[in-house]
Amino acid sequence: MNDIRRTILWVIFGFSLVLLWDKWQVHNGKKATFFPAPAVATAPAPETGKAPGDASVPSAATAATAGAGEVPGGAAAPEAAPRQNVTISTDVLRLTFDSQGGTLRHAELLKYADSAHKDKPVVLFDESVHRVYLGQSGLIGGGFPTHKTTMTALPGARELKDGEDQMELRFESPDMGGVKLVKIWTLKRGAYDIGVRHEVVNTGTTAVNPQLYLQLVRDGNKPEGEESTMYSTFTGPAVYTDEKKYQKVEFKDIENGKASVEKSSSGGYVAMVQHYFASAWLLAEGVQRENFLRKVDSNLYAVGMITPVGTIEPGQSKSVEARLFAGPQIEKRLEALAPGLELVKDYGWLTILAKPLYWLLDKLHGFLGNWGWSIVALVLLLKIAFYWLNAKAYSSMAKMKAINPRIMEMRERLKDKPQQMQQEMMRIYREEKVNPMGGCLPIIIQIPVFIALYWVLLSSVEIRNAPWIGWITDLSAKDPLFILPVLMTLSSLLQTALNPAPPDPMQAKMMWIMPLVFSVMFFFFPAGLVLYWLTNNILSIAQQWIINTRMGVPPQFNLPNFGKTKPAK
């Protein structure tokens, strides 16, 4: 039994060292030693007259990928008007549109500061040498206007003034294939969802039956600065349908042709997700659409959907309403926009636990007004909720601690007779009514809850740039003075000292080494996560101290002995 446990501990310890070394290499700007990420190309600078990220859109029937740079439907984009950028702004967004296709090519979130440059806002959509991230739409089915068609931006307001609640930006295409496309972007005060109405006018002499595509095109690189962190969050496309619910897709799966999502649906959305922020194309529920994923070019990927506009007779027009969300992952806002959109805030397989924990954390913040103290209060409530489970664990540890001298004496006496030693140990446990696993099981039950809380704190954009006290001005960034990680390390070592020392000397050493090893990671973790773990440690130590005292087992510190055990005389 001891050999098995020792082996398991060594395996865990060895694997942890591998992961830590690998992350340390990445943190220092070097190539990962054990798990190198595939090389990703930097987005090329845009060529004259051609936008990088010009994804070709398949026909609804074949869903075949057209060549990079090819215009859907095979029609060449006319150069009726010079290409230009149009910038408009509201109280929360500053957007830049490309008149080629009326494409959203740059989006700044004015209420959120960039992590690296606090004086600048977060940039979500972008088209530069460092990032390609675009919101495109157009028509297919007969040489109609696409996202490569040069359109005309009509005159109008470019800034939402005080007292105004919304503003519009209109783009009109030239006639192509007997069709003119009018794209109307509607921005509202305080909103991150942008209305996009596509008016399709039949200017020809025969009926037409176009289809509208909506797509998000992005490079496969992680957001700037995330490569240097000791943790990883999902970056990539996602598709939500009523049938298969939320499906996130890795860029490498698209690259390898392994991406699979529900193709046809009458509800849902397509999205691009990254840490804290997301974008998504939304159509009204009940509107039939076909979802698609594809690699566009070297390190460029697209996710989108195609919906029929319907037959349009000569001289008639039809319109399709859509919305483009581009903003922070705030659950209440996302839930109000579309069913399942809040799932872009990814808690993984522990969503069922994480969502109520976030709800409680949000309520505490509404009462306390500080995210740091809200984290402390939430951990306190969890410790109260699990008080009796923890009491059982610490009671079992106290009993183990009481009989530990007897166990150590027996091990020394029978060290040359391992089988008899094992039998004698089990006899002592039976006589004293001690379960050696009694201190572990109650703690194991709580692990999923605390992992879920970890993901809540890691994923919540509200904690980004949120101060706590004094030197902690951003709970989503590492402690600049490393005070919290040091305190967390000391509390972990104090917990180990209060626990009964394992009879096996090797296990005893491991119990001291592992807290030190894992504490290294916390020096680079967000301060909010370290605060939550430190609070949990302090409350656990207090409870353990009280229970030991009540059971007549005075708290004592089992200090480590890393020297060689001297043979008995």
Side-chain angles (χ1 to χ4, degrees):
M1 179 68 177
N2 283 334
D3 291 338
I4 294 174
R5 285 155 67 182
R6 184 186 306 169
T7 302
I8 292 173
L9 283 172
W10 272 114
V11 169
I12 294 173
F13 178 62
F15 189 66
S16 300
L17 286 179
V18 170
L19 291 177
L20 282 170
W21 176 253
D22 195 60
K23 285 293 186 182
W24 182 256
Q25 290 288 88
V26 175
H27 177 73
N28 285 282
K30 300 177 183 177
K31 187 176 180 181
T33 304
F34 300 100
F35 306 105
V40 289
T42 304
E47 301 174 16
T48 303
K50 179 181 178 182
D54 282 343
S56 298
V57 182
S59 67
T62 63
T65 305
E70 179 186 343
V71 177
E79 296 295 335
R83 188 174 169 185
Q84 62 175 320
N85 291 326
V86 180
T87 300
I88 63 175
S89 59
T90 68
D91 57 326
V92 296
L93 292 171
R94 183 183 296 120
L95 308 178
T96 299
F97 294 87
D98 189 341
S99 64
Q100 186 177 67
T103 294
L104 177 59
R105 59 167 295 182
H106 190 85
E108 297 178 10
L109 311 183
L110 303 179
K111 299 294 184 181
Y112 294 88
D114 184 80
S115 298
H117 309 285
K118 300 294 185 182
D119 58 332
K120 297 180 180 179
V122 165
V123 175
L124 191 57
F125 286 81
D126 196 20
E127 185 180 14
S128 65
V129 294
H130 303 294
R131 169 74 66 225
V132 173
Y133 192 168
L134 307 168
Q136 301 173 335
S137 64
L139 301 175
I140 55 175
F144 304 134
T146 70
H147 66 274
K148 288 190 174 183
T149 302
T150 303
M151 307 177 79
T152 300
L154 299 185
R158 298 295 185 252
E159 184 177 354
L160 188 65
K161 294 182 172 59
D162 293 341
E164 296 178 343
D165 291 326
Q166 69 176 46
M167 62 185 300
E168 289 186 350
L169 174 62
R170 297 173 64 94
F171 289 95
E172 286 189 2
S173 77
D175 290 350
M176 290 185 65
V179 165
K180 182 171 76 171
L181 175 62
V182 180
K183 191 181 295 187
I184 305 166
W185 296 83
T186 303
L187 292 80
K188 295 183 179 180
R189 180 174 298 278
Y192 291 97
D193 59 308
I194 310 159
V196 192
R197 186 165 78 253
H198 297 83
E199 294 183 353
V200 185
V201 183
N202 186 344
T203 58
T205 58
T206 60
V208 293
N209 191 20
Q211 294 173 303
L212 173 70
Y213 66 87
L214 309 163
Q215 66 182 11
L216 299 165
V217 178
R218 191 189 191 282
D219 62 74
N221 300 338
K222 286 278 189 179
E224 184 181 359
E226 191 167 321
E227 297 90 343
S228 61
T229 59
M230 293 288 287
Y231 54 88
S232 178
T233 58
F234 174 73
T235 299
V239 176
Y240 182 92
T241 63
D242 295 333
E243 294 77 12
K244 292 192 175 181
K245 304 305 179 184
Y246 185 72
Q247 297 173 271
K248 59 183 182 182
V249 183
E250 298 283 352
F251 288 124
K252 63 182 179 181
D253 290 336
I254 302 176
E255 180 91 23
N256 299 329
K258 296 180 179 179
S260 177
V261 296
E262 187 73 17
K263 292 294 190 293
S264 181
S265 65
S266 59
Y269 58 83
V270 296
M272 278 288 183
V273 182
Q274 66 185 60
H275 196 199
Y276 294 133
F277 304 101
S279 62
W281 275 113
L282 310 171
L283 283 171
E285 290 296 303
V287 175
Q288 193 65 33
R289 79 285 307 268
E290 290 190 17
N291 304 308
F292 63 85
L293 288 159
R294 69 179 37 80
K295 181 180 179 182
V296 177
D297 202 347
S298 175
N299 196 39
L300 280 179
Y301 304 88
V303 60
M305 49 190 175
I306 302 169
T307 185
V309 177
T311 302
I312 308 175
E313 298 295 334
Q316 301 296 312
S317 66
K318 284 190 175 181
S319 64
V320 178
E321 298 281 354
R323 284 179 295 167
L324 177 59
F325 170 79
Q329 298 170 7
I330 300 176
E331 283 191 44
K332 290 182 289 188
R333 283 177 173 262
L334 297 173
E335 288 172 351
L337 289 176
L341 187 57
E342 75 279 1
L343 296 176
V344 297
K345 184 181 179 181
D346 187 21
Y347 295 134
W349 61 279
L350 287 171
T351 298
I352 192 171
L353 295 175
K355 286 182 72 68
L357 286 175
Y358 170 79
W359 177 87
L360 182 56
L361 180 64
D362 185 55
K363 292 297 181 183
L364 289 170
H365 177 258
F367 178 72
L368 297 173
N370 180 289
W371 285 107
W373 291 119
S374 301
I375 292 170
V376 173
L378 179 58
V379 177
L380 177 60
L381 291 178
L382 287 175
K383 296 301 287 186
I384 293 173
F386 287 118
Y387 178 83
W388 296 112
L389 271 177
N390 287 322
K392 282 183 171 292
Y394 297 140
S395 296
S396 179
M397 289 180 186
K399 291 179 181 178
M400 287 288 294
K401 201 167 189 177
I403 66 171
N404 204 45
R406 186 177 171 188
I407 294 290
M408 297 299 289
E409 183 277 329
M410 180 272 298
R411 286 182 62 87
E412 183 66 25
R413 179 164 42 88
L414 300 175
K415 61 183 177 182
D416 297 326
K417 300 175 182 179
Q419 187 172 355
Q420 186 178 347
M421 181 198 301
Q422 191 69 25
Q423 292 173 350
E424 182 69 11
M425 188 181 298
M426 297 308 295
R427 184 186 66 79
I428 294 174
Y429 287 155
R430 284 195 302 270
E431 286 180 357
E432 300 294 337
K433 297 181 180 180
V434 173
N435 180 3
M437 297 298 292
C440 299
L441 291 177
I443 294 175
I444 290 173
I445 293 172
Q446 301 173 56
I447 287 176
V449 175
F450 283 96
I451 293 177
L453 180 55
Y454 165 90
W455 281 107
V456 167
L457 299 179
L458 185 63
S459 304
S460 296
V461 69
E462 296 91 335
I463 295 175
R464 188 177 182 275
N465 292 328
W468 178 40
I469 57 172
W471 75 103
I472 302 295
T473 58
D474 184 356
L475 287 165
S476 70
K478 66 182 181 182
D479 184 338
L481 302 180
F482 299 107
I483 294 174
L484 288 179
V486 169
L487 292 176
M488 198 282 300
T489 302
L490 293 175
S491 67
S492 296
L493 293 175
L494 179 57
Q495 270 191 301
T496 303
L498 288 173
N499 291 336
D504 185 0
M506 181 59 69
Q507 291 183 26
K509 292 177 182 178
M510 288 291 294
M511 293 299 290
W512 280 96
I513 292 173
M514 290 181 71
L516 289 172
V517 172
F518 284 112
S519 294
V520 172
M521 296 186 295
F522 283 88
F523 277 77
F524 305 97
F525 269 31
L529 292 174
V530 184
L531 174 61
Y532 126 70
W533 200 260
L534 172 62
T535 305
N536 181 64
N537 280 0
I538 292 173
L539 294 175
S540 297
I541 290 168
Q543 186 177 6
Q544 188 173 357
W545 194 289
I546 292 170
I547 290 173
N548 282 6
T549 303
R550 285 180 178 175
M551 293 187 65
V553 182
Q556 57 181 346
F557 301 103
N558 299 309
L559 299 178
N561 179 15
F562 293 113
K564 293 184 178 179
T565 304
K566 296 181 179 180
K569 295 182 180 179

